[in-house]
Amino acid sequence: MSFDLFIYLASIALIYVYGRFVIHIAIPIFHYFLVEPFDWQKQVEKPRIFLHLTGLSFMHLMVYSNSSLENKGILIQVIIWLTFILGFLFCQFTWTEKFQNTFVPKVTRSTAESSQNFNISISDLQLIQLYNELVRFDLLNQDLTALEDFRNVLLKDWKEHNSKLHLKMDGPSGREFFEQLAQTFPNNSLSLIDFFDRSKLIVRPDGKRYKYNTIKNAPTRSSQSKKHFELRQIFSKIN
C-alpha cells in the first residue's frame, strides 16, 4: 500500500479544524448544563458556523475526489490540493483578528434594532470571562446580578428586560470600569451619560443609581480609582 501524502496532510488538517471548533463551543455548552442557560450569540457564531460548513464541505469533497478518481493527472492533483487549501482557509479565517475586528462588528451593527442599547461587540465567551473576573475580584454583586442579567444589560435594548448591574465600586472605580469596557470593546454605542444616567441599568452597591456629575468629574479628583489595579488585571485577561 503506497503512502498518500495528500491523505496524511488532509487528515491532520481535518482533525485540527474539528478539534479547534469543538474546543471553542465546549465552554459555553459546559456552562449551559452546569451554571445557567446559554444565550447563543447568532451575530457572531452563525457566520463562523457558515464558513466552517463551507470550508469543510470543500475539504471533504477533495478527500473523496482524491480517493475515488483512479487516473489523476497533474492538473487534477493541483485542483484537489488548491481546493482543499481554500476550504481550510475558509475555516481559519473565522479565528483571525480580521474576522473579529471587521466582519463581526459589521454583522452586529446591521442587526441592531434600536439605539437604546450599548451595541457592544463582545463574544459570549468574553462576556462570561468578564463576568467571572468581576465576581472573583468582588466588583460585582453576584447575588443581585446573575450572568443572564449581565448579558441583558450589555447586549439587549434597555427596555427589553428588568436586569441591572449591581457594581461594587465607588464613583471613580465605576468610571474607570466604563473606560476599560469601552477601550477593550471599541465597537459599541457606549457614552458616559447613557451608561450611568439614561439607561438606568447601572447601580451602586446600595442599589441606588450613580450620580452622573460625580462620575463625570471623577478623573479630576483622582488619577487612579481604588480598584485601578483590579480593573487593569481583569481587562488585560480578556482576549
Side-chain angles (χ1 to χ4, degrees):
M1 185 176 181
S2 59
F3 175 75
D4 192 326
L5 179 62
F6 176 80
I7 294 297
Y8 175 75
L9 295 178
S11 298
I12 295 176
L14 286 168
I15 291 172
Y16 171 79
V17 171
Y18 279 113
R20 186 168 189 177
F21 188 75
V22 168
I23 292 173
H24 173 72
I25 64 175
I27 295 177
I29 290 177
F30 181 78
H31 186 85
Y32 171 81
F33 283 108
L34 295 185
V35 186
E36 294 186 14
F38 171 56
D39 184 16
W40 186 64
Q41 297 299 301
K42 64 180 181 179
Q43 294 93 340
V44 176
E45 299 304 333
K46 286 183 70 175
R48 193 191 307 276
I49 291 175
F50 173 76
L51 290 174
H52 269 75
L53 289 175
T54 302
L56 286 168
S57 297
F58 280 123
M59 294 169 72
H60 282 290
L61 180 61
M62 292 305 100
V63 171
Y64 173 77
S65 300
N66 182 77
S67 302
S68 60
L69 294 176
E70 296 182 358
N71 298 319
K72 298 190 294 288
I74 295 179
L75 179 60
I76 298 299
Q77 293 182 36
V78 170
I79 292 174
I80 290 175
W81 276 92
L82 292 179
T83 306
F84 184 90
I85 293 173
L86 177 64
F88 180 78
L89 292 177
F90 262 80
C91 299
Q92 281 298 102
F93 173 67
T94 65
W95 309 114
T96 62
E97 185 177 350
K98 184 177 181 180
F99 177 83
Q100 294 292 339
N101 294 338
T102 59
F103 181 74
V104 173
K106 288 180 180 179
V107 176
T108 304
R109 288 196 298 270
S110 68
T111 57
E113 297 178 357
S114 170
S115 61
Q116 295 295 301
N117 58 63
F118 301 131
N119 289 330
I120 301 175
S121 179
I122 179 174
S123 72
D124 203 67
L125 288 177
Q126 291 172 322
L127 188 144
I128 293 171
Q129 185 180 10
L130 178 58
Y131 175 84
N132 290 335
E133 289 296 315
L134 288 170
V135 171
R136 186 168 75 90
F137 282 93
D138 197 30
L139 299 181
L140 184 70
N141 191 324
Q142 188 178 22
D143 295 331
L144 298 177
T145 306
L147 175 60
E148 192 64 24
D149 296 317
F150 192 71
R151 184 181 288 114
N152 290 341
V153 170
L154 294 185
L155 300 181
K156 293 185 178 181
D157 283 5
W158 302 338
K159 297 181 180 180
E160 281 187 2
H161 56 84
N162 296 316
S163 300
K164 293 184 184 299
L165 253 63
H166 293 260
L167 299 178
K168 300 173 73 172
M169 310 179 196
D170 60 7
S173 299
R175 170 66 182 261
E176 186 166 355
F177 169 71
F178 165 82
E179 292 174 344
Q180 291 280 1
L181 184 67
Q183 292 173 8
T184 305
F185 306 101
N187 297 289
N188 60 68
S189 298
L190 287 169
S191 70
L192 191 66
I193 191 170
D194 282 347
F195 195 71
F196 287 103
D197 187 57
R198 292 171 181 164
S199 71
K200 301 179 181 179
L201 302 178
I202 315 299
V203 297
R204 302 182 310 194
D206 58 6
K208 297 180 181 180
R209 289 166 53 191
Y210 287 90
K211 293 182 180 180
Y212 175 67
N213 287 335
T214 301
I215 293 288
K216 182 180 179 182
N217 297 322
T220 64
R221 297 194 302 271
S222 175
S223 59
Q224 290 185 355
S225 70
K226 294 180 180 178
K227 303 298 181 180
H228 172 74
F229 294 104
E230 290 90 337
L231 289 168
R232 287 288 300 272
Q233 189 171 348
I234 289 171
F235 282 95
S236 66
K237 294 181 179 179
I238 306 298
N239 49 46

